């Protein structure tokens, strides 16, 4: 192999995104229905402002069990300190990022804009394609 594959070569570009104003139970049902572990949260300008994961939804569900009612928005439950990868990052570096992180997927940025998402499975596929 002469050149290393990049995150952009394996990322998903047809993203399901959430709004910070979306009700948490509605967002949770979307994640469950689409069988995805999380989704980027973007504001009205399309800027990445967080990520909502199933783990975040579990915390919201536990809170709801205490108070006997669902409530709140995605903004109240999402992870705001988001780890991202650049679209130009090589797959080896992306693999190391996954090994050093608890996250199963990273939003992918290019020139400050959300352009995709890459998961552990996507990176593993890339490693297999290149060295398997």
């Amino acid at each position: 192999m002469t050149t290393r594959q990049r995150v952009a070569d394996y990322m998903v570009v047809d993203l399901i995104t959430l709004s910070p104003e979306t009700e948490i139970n509605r967002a949770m049902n979307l994640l469950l229905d689409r069988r995805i572990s999380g989704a980027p949260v973007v504001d009205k300008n399309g800027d990445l402002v967080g990520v909502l994961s199933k783990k975040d939804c579990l915390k919201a569900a536990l809170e709801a069990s205490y108070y006997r009612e669902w409530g709140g928005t995605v903004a109240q439950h999402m992870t705001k300190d988001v780890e991202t990868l650049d679209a130009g990052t090589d797959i080896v570096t992306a693999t190391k990022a996954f090994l050093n992180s608890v996250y199963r997927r990273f939003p992918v940025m290019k020139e400050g804009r959300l352009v995709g998402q890459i998961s552990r499975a996507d990176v593993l596929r890339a490693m297999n394609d290149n060295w398997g």
Side-chain angles (χ1 to χ4, degrees):
M1 187 169 96
T2 57
T3 62
R4 286 192 174 174
Q5 294 296 311
R6 304 281 171 195
V7 165
D9 299 321
Y10 287 89
M11 69 184 185
V12 173
V13 295
D14 186 20
L15 295 179
I16 294 170
T17 60
L18 299 169
S19 162
E21 295 82 22
T22 303
E23 291 178 25
I24 189 64
N25 58 336
R26 187 175 200 198
M28 179 194 65
N29 284 320
L30 179 65
L31 296 182
L32 291 171
D33 290 346
R34 297 293 178 96
R35 295 180 177 198
I36 55 176
S37 62
V41 181
V42 295
D43 66 13
K44 292 176 182 160
N45 298 322
D47 294 326
L48 180 67
V49 295
V51 170
L52 185 75
S53 69
K54 285 183 179 173
K55 184 175 182 179
D56 296 323
C57 292
L58 279 173
K59 291 177 191 174
L62 184 59
E63 185 178 296
S65 74
Y66 289 135
Y67 298 108
R68 301 280 185 224
E69 67 181 64
W70 277 99
T73 62
V74 166
Q76 293 170 298
H77 299 283
M78 70 185 183
T79 300
K80 295 176 179 116
D81 186 20
V82 180
E83 291 182 42
T84 64
L85 290 176
D86 187 86
T89 301
D90 67 84
I91 290 299
V92 171
T93 301
T95 301
K96 290 177 184 176
F98 276 107
L99 291 173
N100 293 319
S101 177
V102 298
Y103 298 113
R104 296 178 181 190
R105 54 184 68 232
F106 289 117
V108 178
M109 308 296 286
K110 183 175 182 181
E111 298 174 5
R113 302 297 295 173
L114 178 67
V115 294
Q117 185 169 258
I118 193 159
S119 69
R120 289 177 182 173
D122 297 326
V123 170
L124 190 56
R125 188 175 305 105
M127 296 292 283
N128 186 56
D129 285 353
N130 291 302
W131 296 284

